[in-house]
Amino acid sequence: MTLEPTRQPTAHRGSFVEEIETARTDLARKLLVSELQSSPSESERVPSLSPTTSATSTGPDSDVADSPITTPVDDDLVADSFAFAFDIDGVLVRGGRPIPEAVQAMKVLNGENKYGLKIPYIFLTNGGGKTEAERCGDLSRQLDVEISPAQFICGHTPMSEMASKYNTVLVVGGEGEKCRSVAQGYGFKDVVTPGDIIKANSATTPFRKLTPEEHRNSRERDFSKVVIEAVFVFADSRDWAGDLQIIIDLAMSKGGRVGTLSETFDEGPPIFFSHNDVVWSAAHDNVRLGMGALRGIVEYTFKEVTKGKTLHTHAFGKPQIGTFEFATRLLKRWRRNAHRLDAPPDTVYFVGDTPESDIRGTNQFNEQAENDWYSILVKTGVYQDGTEPAYKPRVTVDTVLDAVNHGIEREMQRKRERAQAQKPRLVDMPTLRLEGTKDCAVFSPTEECSIELDASAS
């Protein structure tokens, strides 16, 4: 009986190359996990974002992680050295409808990327007029992703920190009674609306009459006994003429008493606007006037009717540094509670569409922040492609999806460069080439190398 010679196993070229690629992918993921930092200390506490929290910036810690990735308790890969912050109108949504690339961008941030990496993110919008919870509900439906109020800052959110300073306040803007509800939710004890003032004296605004619904919702007040300590414009006005008249009346009043007129025109209550955007991106093809335009009209009108007096108003929102400080605290808290990350990120990628607020604010805050705030401008909103932005971003891209991919790839390239710099170098090693025939493939040296063995005893 003749025995068949034993056949050596063969590796077909197609399957062999596929296995090599699979092995490389698995190895890359294992290397990412193996380089992770240890869990952050539980002793580091996150500052509260309650209405009484100080507006002082809480700077990031100096001992930032070298790797952009960590593994939290759920074994997902999470970016620990970078995060994203997004404007909304013109970046994610336009005219109440999601920008198509925004839906995919959220998926990429939540782990649907080639690295299987989740990236923490927050939202920082100058818009308002609703509670943060209601805005989050709207945005969650638009982007098909669950968004928490703990990730969200409206233009008026930082105003919550002033609830303990002022007792009776006038709140302007928004739809119906929503802004009154927002202010009460922040802890303001006595909230007045323009409707309350018009209901008490219909002659206040000759060209504005309350609708039956507005009349029902407005509250009966004896304004001879009311002192308005501050005026807050929470959201864009629905009746500029009426709101302008009431704001000017209070600015010219004796100490915030409705119906009085100061002789010096410097006794009125402070006036705060939740942001200063002159224009914003809506459903219309061209940009629409925003709250910053109303602010300019208020200041101009006051100067005209007082024969040259200057009215100094105040603005929150972007590009104000205080809003970015507030965002820093919110992001730190969100990373800790949602991702078990106590240390601040090395880099925050801020994506916006308005050079005058988004890019200006990010760049100015970056000058004093202890980490890197990296400005990205998209072309889907206020900014018009081909124009020269008044404030230059670090990079300009077409859509928010491009912005997300840019940030991720930039971080991974930086990681590869750090790893390469730390990698031990092997010298005098033979190089290999892949040789193959029809049925098999083998590795072999590209050139002959002599090997010396020393067996002598020491």
Side-chain angles (χ1 to χ4, degrees), residues 51-71:
T52 57
T53 302
S54 169
T56 304
S57 174
T58 55
D61 302 320
S62 58
D63 53 340
V64 292
D66 219 13
S67 167
I69 298 167
T70 194
T71 305

Side-chain angles (χ1 to χ4, degrees), residues 332-442:
K332 185 174 183 180
R333 182 176 184 178
W334 174 249
R335 279 164 50 89
R336 181 181 186 278
N337 292 343
H339 300 290
R340 305 295 188 267
L341 301 172
D342 274 345
D346 288 359
T347 306
V348 180
Y349 293 93
F350 188 90
V351 186
D353 71 307
T354 308
E356 289 74 12
S357 60
D358 298 323
I359 305 306
R360 179 185 180 184
T362 304
N363 292 348
Q364 289 180 346
F365 183 61
N366 185 56
E367 293 176 1
Q368 70 176 57
E370 294 186 28
N371 53 358
D372 185 21
W373 279 70
Y374 186 102
S375 56
I376 303 179
L377 180 64
V378 296
K379 302 178 182 179
T380 51
V382 169
Y383 170 72
Q384 297 297 311
D385 191 16
T387 62
E388 185 71 17
Y391 298 89
K392 297 184 185 302
R394 302 271 280 275
V395 67
T396 301
V397 298
D398 289 331
T399 71
V400 65
L401 179 58
D402 297 322
V404 167
N405 287 332
H406 171 80
I408 294 175
E409 291 305 322
R410 181 175 181 267
E411 290 297 319
M412 291 305 166
Q413 179 61 31
R414 295 172 70 192
K415 175 181 171 57
R416 286 190 289 268
E417 291 172 354
R418 287 194 297 265
Q420 188 66 28
Q422 299 172 358
K423 182 179 179 180
R425 303 188 64 181
L426 302 178
V427 295
D428 298 330
M429 294 292 291
T431 58
L432 301 177
R433 65 174 176 266
L434 182 63
E435 296 179 336
T437 65
K438 183 177 180 181
D439 295 323
C440 65
V442 295

Side-chain angles (χ1 to χ4, degrees), residues 98 109 144 160 162 171 218 242 317 454:
L109 289 168
D144 192 26
S160 63
M162 305 182 77
V171 172
S218 299
D454 185 0

Side-chain angles (χ1 to χ4, degrees), residues 175-194:
E175 299 176 359
E177 293 288 292
K178 287 187 177 181
C179 283
R180 193 200 304 263
S181 299
V182 171
Q184 291 172 335
Y186 287 163
F188 288 99
K189 298 178 180 63
D190 186 15
V191 181
V192 177
T193 69

